[in-house]
Amino acid sequence: MFCNHEIEVSVIIPVYNGGENFRRCLSALANTTPSPFEIIVAADGDTDGSWLIAREFGTQVVRTNTRSGPAVARNLGACFAQGEILFFVDADVVVRPDAISQVVSTFKREPDLAALIGSYDDAPDATNFLSQYRNLLHHYVHQSGCEEASTFWGACGAIRREVFLEVEGFDDSYRQASIEDIELGYRLKQAGYKIRLNKALQVKHLKRWEIGSLLKADFYYRALPWTELIWRDRLLINDLNLQVSNRLSIILIFGLLIAVVTAFWWSGFLAVALGICMALLFLNLPVYRFFWRKRGIRFALQVIPWHWFYYFYSGLAFIIGTARHQLRQWGWLKTSSSKFV
């Protein structure tokens, strides 16, 4: 069954001090074929004049008085949108010329589809190692994920407007760029809606990652609140970052740490540590092969310690998040009214 009427797509972009990356984002959208029905920029208390850049491109601009977070900005933009499909795009990504046609054709092919998400491409803009590693890993995770998606993605995700309004949009208690999109996806799935991962719908991420920003985003704004979301909904899916291989890797990383520490007293545990290292390498071999193909063996070897470190702090966040959840259940810790994790 195909949908024959013309589907109108409203692009919604939340922005806070977007700078030159935001200008590149708007330039790319101006070159899409077909053009979106409308582009709505939700300026989230910006202080660099990002809303003026948006006006230069002839977009509709809505503004918040103070910085309230992307969830609030996206919801505000959605309030003004008139299109049948709301296409959320982050201010630091560049879409391909066929982005709108990809969205439209997917919804036409699947009339019962509620939402779809895309993926970062395999050519991140920033050239430093951490930016290449982080964005390529994100690309790998989505490209190897289930097409019957388990969640939503705000950087490049489209949803039927009527469905978005029915589930009351993003949870605006997330006051930073966090997991507000994942949380929305969980609610969509619980309501019985279908989400599609369109692997051909790819965007280029322009963000430059440094050690501090990477760890802060991964630990405080993703892993900790995601743990709380898992416990809230009692839902641990075998997809994307929560695949069984990832969970086993986290267990192995902590086993490796215990083995290394114990080896100071009993050298026999060095053999145990070596065995765990081999198991970790085998379990994650597809990931390292991917980096080898994309950036060469030297880059792939650099990835391994960072990838294992990622498993460590993700596991640590899960432990801390689980403890916090349990303390709240016992009434020993107050529930935060806003999610400044």
Side-chain angles (χ1 to χ4, degrees):
M1 178 178 177
F2 286 84
C3 176
N4 294 318
H5 74 277
E6 190 64 32
I7 295 178
E8 296 177 335
V9 178
S10 295
V11 175
I12 300 172
I13 311 170
V15 62
Y16 171 77
N17 294 355
E20 183 58 29
N21 286 346
F22 179 47
R23 185 179 292 276
R24 291 176 62 184
C25 171
L26 292 174
S27 295
L29 281 164
N31 291 321
T32 55
T33 304
S35 300
F37 172 69
E38 62 185 348
I39 299 176
I40 300 173
V41 171
D44 185 28
D46 60 88
T47 60
D48 72 340
S50 290
W51 68 278
L52 294 173
I53 297 175
R55 285 276 173 84
E56 290 179 23
F57 283 84
T59 69
Q60 181 179 350
V61 178
V62 294
R63 303 173 66 188
T64 62
N65 293 326
T66 59
R67 190 179 185 188
S68 304
V72 170
R74 292 189 187 109
N75 287 342
L76 178 62
C79 288
F80 289 87
Q82 299 298 311
E84 179 184 347
I85 304 297
L86 308 180
F87 183 21
F88 295 100
V89 174
D90 274 356
D92 62 355
V93 302
V94 168
V95 303
R96 293 178 175 178
D98 67 346
I100 303 301
S101 65
Q102 286 280 357
V103 170
V104 170
S105 62
T106 304
F107 280 106
K108 280 188 174 182
R109 283 196 307 270
E110 302 184 59
D112 61 335
L113 189 66
L116 67 86
I117 59 174
S119 164
Y120 286 146
D121 67 14
D122 61 356
D125 189 67
T127 57
N128 64 311
F129 170 77
L130 279 182
S131 297
Q132 291 284 309
Y133 155 68
R134 187 67 182 84
N135 292 319
L136 281 171
L137 181 61
H138 196 289
H139 171 81
Y140 172 83
V141 169
H142 272 187
Q143 291 298 309
S144 58
C146 299
E147 292 189 358
E148 182 73 36
S150 54
T151 188
F152 192 68
W153 187 42
C156 176
I159 182 172
R160 295 191 186 275
R161 181 172 176 271
E162 61 183 19
V163 173
F164 184 82
L165 296 177
E166 179 187 324
V167 299
E168 300 182 342
F170 293 95
D171 181 348
D172 59 16
S173 64
Y174 289 94
R175 312 298 283 186
Q176 299 283 350
S178 182
I179 61 159
E180 69 281 350
D181 49 358
I182 296 171
E183 194 275 340
L184 171 60
Y186 275 32
R187 281 188 283 121
L188 287 171
K189 297 299 286 187
Q190 288 171 348
Y193 286 115
K194 183 179 177 182
I195 308 172
R196 171 70 61 202
L197 168 58
N198 182 345
K199 298 180 181 181
L201 175 59
Q202 297 186 23
V203 296
K204 183 182 300 296
H205 199 197
L206 304 179
K207 184 178 179 66
R208 180 182 176 88
W209 290 106
E210 303 290 353
I211 294 176
S213 60
L214 177 67
L215 295 181
K216 187 176 182 180
D218 276 359
F219 190 86
Y220 288 105
Y221 296 142
R222 290 188 64 81
L224 278 177
W226 201 341
T227 297
E228 295 183 7
L229 182 60
I230 289 170
W231 283 113
R232 187 197 77 179
D233 293 356
R234 303 287 176 173
L235 184 62
L236 195 60
I237 55 176
N238 180 30
D239 191 24
L240 301 178
N241 299 95
L242 298 181
Q243 289 183 357
V244 172
S245 61
N246 292 341
R247 286 178 254 166
L248 287 175
S249 294
I250 289 173
I251 293 171
L252 288 172
I253 282 294
F254 281 87
L256 177 60
L257 289 173
I258 293 170
V260 169
V261 171
T262 306
F264 282 100
W265 289 274
W266 184 22
S267 60
F269 266 84
L270 286 175
V272 176
L274 180 60
I276 293 175
C277 287
M278 297 302 293
L280 278 166
L281 288 171
F282 177 77
L283 197 57
N284 293 279
L285 195 56
V287 183
Y288 306 143
R289 280 177 175 166
F290 163 79
F291 280 106
W292 189 343
R293 289 196 307 270
K294 294 295 181 181
R295 295 295 183 270
I297 188 169
R298 181 178 177 183
F299 190 96
L301 291 173
Q302 285 180 276
V303 162
I304 293 173
W306 274 101
H307 197 214
W308 291 10
F309 184 42
Y310 161 76
Y311 284 137
F312 167 72
Y313 63 70
S314 296
L316 183 62
F318 185 80
I319 293 169
I320 294 172
T322 299
R324 286 183 2 176
H325 172 80
Q326 192 59 58
L327 290 173
R328 289 193 184 102
Q329 293 293 104
W330 293 338
W332 295 355
L333 185 66
K334 288 185 179 179
T335 301
S336 175
S337 58
S338 64
K339 297 181 175 69
F340 286 102
V341 182

